[in-house]
Amino acid sequence: MTRPRQTQRLSADEAGIAAAAELLRAGKLVALPTETVYGLAADASDDRAVASIYAAKERPSFNPLISHLPDVDAARRQGLFDAPALALAKAFWPGPLTLVVPASGSCTVCSLARAGLDSVALRVPSHPVAHAVLLAAGRPIAAPSANRSGRVSPTQADHVLADLDGRIDAVLDAGPTAVGVESSIVACLGGAPRLLRPGGVPRAALEAAIGQALVIVEEGGAAPVSPGLLASHYAPRAAVRLEAEAPRPGEAWLGFGPERNGALPALAFNLSPTGDLTEAAANLFAAMRRLDDQRPATIAVAPIPMHGLGEAINDRLRRAAAPR
């Protein structure tokens, strides 16, 4: 358990951004909005600050953290970029893409944030508030999703406080996030680039940028090389039943597209009645949290197409359904 803290709720204005940056420079924990989900931010060069992330999230220490930078030049001071990594950075940064690259000789991201690995996971977020904080802080900022490990990722400040009030120092409230699923993660560590986690940039777009197919990596092993590779990393309290054609008696329902199966249970949410995968991605974590907060035994989930952002949505749902 972490020692109780007084969690401030900061406005996403000049004063709030300055306060958040000052807290980060002092080794404190601040939940920040990004274009994907809210991240639990700390100074990535400070082992004690990074340790407090793991403590607040109750996160396994062997799972590396993504470090966030304000621009490509700052990221290249932390990692060594080969040709595919540079192509991806130029195409999708700032944006919902994380690159795992060899750590450079000038890398200041601490070993704890890298889980003792010789690689480093880097991202340049596009959210203007996150960008402003990174500029003001002047150092790499580690920021996994701002929830306890294994819980649903937060897309609103209220979600952060539901999990972490009293465990962190502040949350910078900039309203709901836009993308709703985390960044895509690509490892560029020599040889063919590997897709470690589907996310906010569809695989087809990534492959088009580098002119080759990505190697697909499944989770597993004792020491993941990036975040998001634990099988039950995204897990509500309820059991999750995938590819459901309709809810069974007593189940909550997470739908997608036009509902065709008559009356739905009282505990139901449709990710996108029109079948819009972008809308579904933006709603995913908030919807799962909303259903799970009502403590159903099982959440039945309608089939989601496996293209575009549907790949990332299905990846999260598969993790949510994994044994734990």
Side-chain angles (χ1 to χ4, degrees):
M1 292 292 293
T2 59
R3 185 173 301 172
R5 309 181 186 206
Q6 183 67 41
T7 303
Q8 305 177 59
R9 188 170 191 147
L10 303 173
S11 298
D13 53 19
E14 185 174 348
I17 289 167
E22 183 176 356
L23 286 167
L24 290 169
R25 289 193 299 269
K28 306 297 185 182
L29 293 179
V30 181
L32 299 176
T34 75
E35 68 275 23
T36 55
V37 299
Y38 273 75
L40 180 53
D43 181 353
S45 64
D46 181 341
D47 284 280
R48 290 179 64 90
V50 171
S52 67
I53 290 178
Y54 289 122
K57 285 178 62 68
E58 302 172 358
R59 184 190 184 109
S61 61
F62 51 77
N63 207 7
L65 303 179
I66 297 170
S67 292
H68 297 68
L69 289 306
D71 52 48
V72 174
D73 288 342
R76 293 187 69 181
R77 289 192 285 272
Q78 302 295 329
L80 302 175
F81 285 61
D82 60 14
L86 279 176
L88 290 167
K90 290 177 180 177
F92 301 110
W93 278 356
L97 171 67
T98 293
L99 294 173
V100 179
V101 297
S104 70
S106 60
C107 181
T108 60
V109 176
C110 70
S111 179
L112 185 59
R114 294 185 283 115
L117 300 173
D118 293 329
S119 57
V120 62
L122 303 172
R123 185 160 95 83
V124 176
S126 64
H127 195 292
V129 174
H131 183 258
V133 172
L134 291 170
L135 284 175
R139 59 200 67 187
I141 298 299
S145 57
N147 56 284
R148 297 195 196 190
S149 188
R151 293 293 308 280
V152 178
S153 298
T155 55
Q156 301 175 24
D158 285 344
H159 297 164
V160 175
L161 292 171
D163 257 13
L164 298 176
D165 191 15
R167 302 172 70 90
I168 65 176
D169 297 284
V171 56
L172 189 58
D173 186 355
T177 59
V179 176
V181 293
E182 287 96 334
S183 58
S184 305
I185 303 180
V186 177
C188 296
L189 297 169
R194 296 178 291 158
L195 181 65
L196 303 183
R197 180 177 77 183
V201 180
R203 181 173 61 181
L206 296 168
E207 292 176 337
I210 58 174
Q212 66 184 99
L214 292 165
V215 175
I216 308 303
V217 177
E218 296 294 336
E219 73 276 350
V225 297
S226 95
L229 294 186
L230 296 181
S232 62
H233 190 74
Y234 306 95
R237 297 182 189 92
V240 177
R241 184 169 68 90
L242 303 179
E243 301 291 328
E245 293 300 325
R248 296 169 181 165
E251 290 184 330
W253 175 247
L254 189 63
F256 176 81
E259 300 288 2
R260 300 181 297 275
N261 294 300
L264 294 176
L267 191 55
F269 186 91
N270 193 310
L271 293 170
S272 174
T274 63
D276 184 327
L277 287 170
T278 300
E279 180 185 19
N283 285 332
L284 178 62
F285 287 125
M288 290 179 66
R289 182 178 293 269
R290 183 183 305 178
L291 295 177
D292 197 44
D293 282 348
Q294 300 302 310
R295 305 299 179 94
T298 302
I299 300 172
V301 184
I304 308 292
M306 275 294 292
H307 61 77
L309 286 179
E311 187 173 12
I313 295 169
N314 279 296
D315 176 74
R316 299 307 180 272
L317 291 170
R318 177 174 54 84
R319 296 176 190 276
R324 53 189 182 275

